[in-house]
Amino acid sequence: SEVRSSDILALRCTTRELIPQAEKAAGVIVADGGMASHAAQMAIELGITAIIGVGDAWATLRERQVVTLDPVRGVVYEGLVRA
């Protein structure tokens, strides 16, 4: 489906083929990886928010669920959280 600028992509891992979709997104949540992973490098290069190494994301996140990312703390909040 079409990725919107407000979307957060929840991914098991990242690949080069996903970069065009990630470029359009507000951020990514990636189950696999760490600080030196492809997902981390992609997020830095694209300038998008990322939380990486969230192995249980697939068990708890649903399609079109509203979440807020706090990359400083490495936390995904349910719903819209305003600072």
Side-chain angles (χ1 to χ4, degrees):
S1 68
E2 187 64 28
V3 176
R4 297 173 299 183
S5 62
S6 61
D7 287 348
I8 303 294
L9 301 179
L11 308 166
R12 190 171 311 274
C13 63
T14 59
T15 64
R16 291 183 189 269
E17 293 78 24
L18 291 171
I19 292 173
Q21 289 82 17
E23 284 180 308
K24 299 175 189 175
V28 294
I29 301 168
V30 184
D32 297 335
M35 293 296 290
S37 68
H38 178 267
Q41 294 172 0
M42 179 190 75
I44 291 167
E45 288 179 18
L46 297 178
I48 60 174
T49 301
I51 298 186
I52 300 166
V54 186
D56 63 345
W58 296 100
T60 57
L61 295 174
R62 300 177 316 274
E63 188 169 337
R64 299 288 170 212
Q65 179 179 3
V66 176
V67 297
T68 301
L69 304 185
D70 181 345
V72 173
R73 291 187 178 97
V75 177
V76 179
Y77 296 99
E78 184 175 357
L80 182 61
V81 177
R82 298 202 187 265

